[in-house]
Amino acid sequence: MSKVVIEDFPPKTSSSDYTALDLTAPASDAILKNRKNTWIQLAGHPGGFAPAGPNTIWKKRYTKDNNETQAYEALMEDTAHSIVPLFYREVEYNSEYFIEIEDLLQHFTDPSIMDVKMGIRTFLESEVSNTALRKDLYDKMVALDPAAPTDEERQSQSITKLRYMQFRENESSTAEFGFRIEALRMSGETPSTNLKRVKSKEQIHGILSKFVNNSRVVQQDLVRRLKEVKQHIEDSPFFMSHELIGCSVLVMHDKYDKCGVWVIDFSKTNPIQDGCEISHRLPWQIGNHEDGFLFGLDNLMQFFSDIEIKEELTENIEPSHVIADS
């Protein structure tokens, strides 16, 4: 693993001095002035990302495990390396750990961006292994939906962590369709992040229709790219041997109809046990490690395919008959 300890921030004399492999501290003024786009963090922990070199970002590590570093290192050698951001290194800065990866915004001009959280569950099996009944989780559930508890749960005034997490997944489109729209930013607008309770087909169609902005070129290219991502995942030794929890598909396009789709967020990605096969499509049961990533990707492609593009009609106007002067 490539790991660099950075202790200070020496000034540079020229913006051309900054490269992906000669990085100092994130978000310096000199670097920001050299970037193609204004930096945008669409989702994730607030302050968890920072622009680094002209074409790279730092992503902060919040857990002791370095799962994401290990995942990116493996993916750089995998057949599916083209559908994830380039990984450069792990960085220690001010006693905190970051990974330096490709800034995907560099390929676009003021793009529209959508972060889609994939899978039928966003929690690890280890997070719900404790079967203890908890009143705090019951109270949280009731606060979100007073009608959600069963008669038995009302009597005990408590639920398990698994029950609460599955309740939360059912509050969005995660449980039914295997994905949820986490955040959306249209070109020139501020991001919309209050989308986690978008659930119905009609709501999803409305947001995706807005995203493609009535462009058949964008719609068709995104469907094509989603199909390519699916094929890469199905052919990938890495993806077909790992449990993909909390991963997102990042979708972008800009005013020049340039489109891109990548898989991001691997902090909860873990190798599955030896001898255990995973399809990423079957229903989840404790112990089978199914995550529904490809199930969700199939549905996302179908939703994009079903968007109705309104053709602009050109009114046919009969030419006027002009009588020439005699």
Side-chain angles (χ1 to χ4, degrees):
M1 179 182 71
S2 175
K3 176 182 172 182
V4 178
V5 179
I6 296 175
E7 297 177 349
D8 55 11
F9 180 26
K12 297 287 185 178
T13 58
S14 167
S15 59
S16 63
D17 291 333
Y18 293 100
T19 68
L21 298 179
D22 181 23
L23 181 62
T24 52
S28 68
D29 289 341
I31 292 175
L32 291 178
K33 290 177 182 177
N34 211 30
R35 299 181 76 84
K36 183 177 179 180
N37 294 292
T38 301
W39 169 244
I40 302 163
Q41 179 177 340
L42 197 62
H45 295 281
F49 296 83
N55 301 317
T56 64
I57 60 172
W58 282 8
K59 181 181 180 184
K60 188 175 180 180
R61 193 173 92 196
Y62 285 92
T63 63
K64 293 181 180 179
D65 298 327
N66 64 341
N67 284 17
E68 192 150 36
T69 297
Q70 294 175 356
Y72 270 115
E73 287 180 333
L75 281 164
M76 292 302 96
E77 305 297 325
D78 190 78
T79 57
H81 62 86
S82 63
I83 65 170
V84 302
L86 288 172
F87 170 79
Y88 293 98
R89 60 184 178 172
E90 184 176 274
V91 177
E92 182 180 354
Y93 178 70
N94 285 347
S95 300
E96 294 183 313
Y97 289 94
F98 301 82
I99 58 170
E100 183 188 351
I101 56 176
E102 176 186 13
D103 179 7
L104 298 171
L105 272 68
Q106 68 171 301
H107 305 293
F108 301 86
T109 301
D110 189 25
S112 295
I113 314 168
M114 185 167 58
D115 184 310
V116 185
K117 189 68 68 178
M118 303 303 299
I120 53 177
R121 61 185 170 98
T122 58
F123 55 88
L124 296 168
E125 291 189 358
S126 59
E127 294 179 79
V128 296
S129 59
N130 191 331
T131 58
L133 294 173
R134 293 174 52 177
K135 186 179 186 307
D136 62 320
L137 296 180
Y138 174 86
D139 292 339
K140 285 185 178 181
M141 182 170 70
V142 171
L144 290 168
D145 184 359
T150 64
D151 291 339
E152 183 179 349
E153 288 167 347
R154 290 185 191 281
Q155 187 174 1
S156 67
Q157 298 277 295
S158 58
I159 56 174
T160 64
K161 178 72 174 290
L162 174 59
R163 167 71 169 110
Y164 177 73
M165 296 301 289
Q166 290 181 317
F167 158 75
R168 288 303 303 266
E169 307 295 33
N170 277 285
E171 287 286 284
S172 70
S173 57
T174 292
E176 184 175 0
F177 297 115
F179 71 86
R180 73 172 184 234
I181 301 171
E182 193 83 349
L184 173 74
R185 186 260 187 184
M186 298 301 294
S187 176
E189 300 179 9
T190 57
S192 300
T193 57
N194 189 26
L195 301 172
K196 291 184 179 180
R197 299 191 75 172
V198 169
K199 183 175 181 178
S200 69
K201 286 185 178 180
E202 294 73 20
Q203 289 173 314
I204 296 170
H205 274 301
I207 292 174
L208 297 186
S209 296
K210 175 183 178 181
F211 182 72
V212 302
N213 200 27
N214 203 46
S215 170
R216 188 172 300 282
V217 172
V218 169
Q219 178 200 28
Q220 291 177 344
D221 199 11
L222 289 179
V223 171
R224 178 181 65 82
R225 289 175 182 273
L226 286 166
K227 288 180 179 178
E228 290 175 355
V229 168
K230 182 188 78 165
Q231 191 63 55
H232 276 296
I233 290 174
E234 290 175 334
D235 294 341
S236 163
F238 178 88
F239 280 110
M240 298 311 294
S241 62
H242 282 73
E243 187 177 9
L244 307 175
I245 302 299
C247 293
S248 287
V249 164
L250 190 67
V251 186
M252 297 194 216
H253 70 85
D254 64 15
K255 62 183 179 181
Y256 300 109
D257 291 338
K258 188 174 184 179
C259 301
V261 178
W262 293 268
V263 183
I264 60 172
D265 297 338
F266 299 102
S267 61
K268 288 187 175 182
T269 297
N270 291 294
I272 57 175
Q273 299 171 354
D274 293 339
C276 181
E277 295 184 356
I278 187 170
S279 70
H280 300 297
R281 285 192 172 94
L282 293 175
W284 173 67
Q285 297 177 342
I286 291 181
N288 73 359
H289 298 285
E290 290 287 352
D291 49 49
F293 188 103
L294 287 175
F295 169 73
L297 196 60
D298 291 339
N299 283 325
L300 184 61
M301 281 190 295
Q302 190 61 55
F303 271 104
F304 269 110
S305 298
D306 291 344
I307 294 172
E308 294 183 5
I309 303 298
K310 297 178 181 179
E311 303 291 351
E312 294 184 2
L313 298 178
T314 303
E315 186 177 357
N316 293 322
I317 302 176
E318 292 293 333
S320 58
H321 296 282
V322 179
I323 300 176
D325 294 335
S326 56

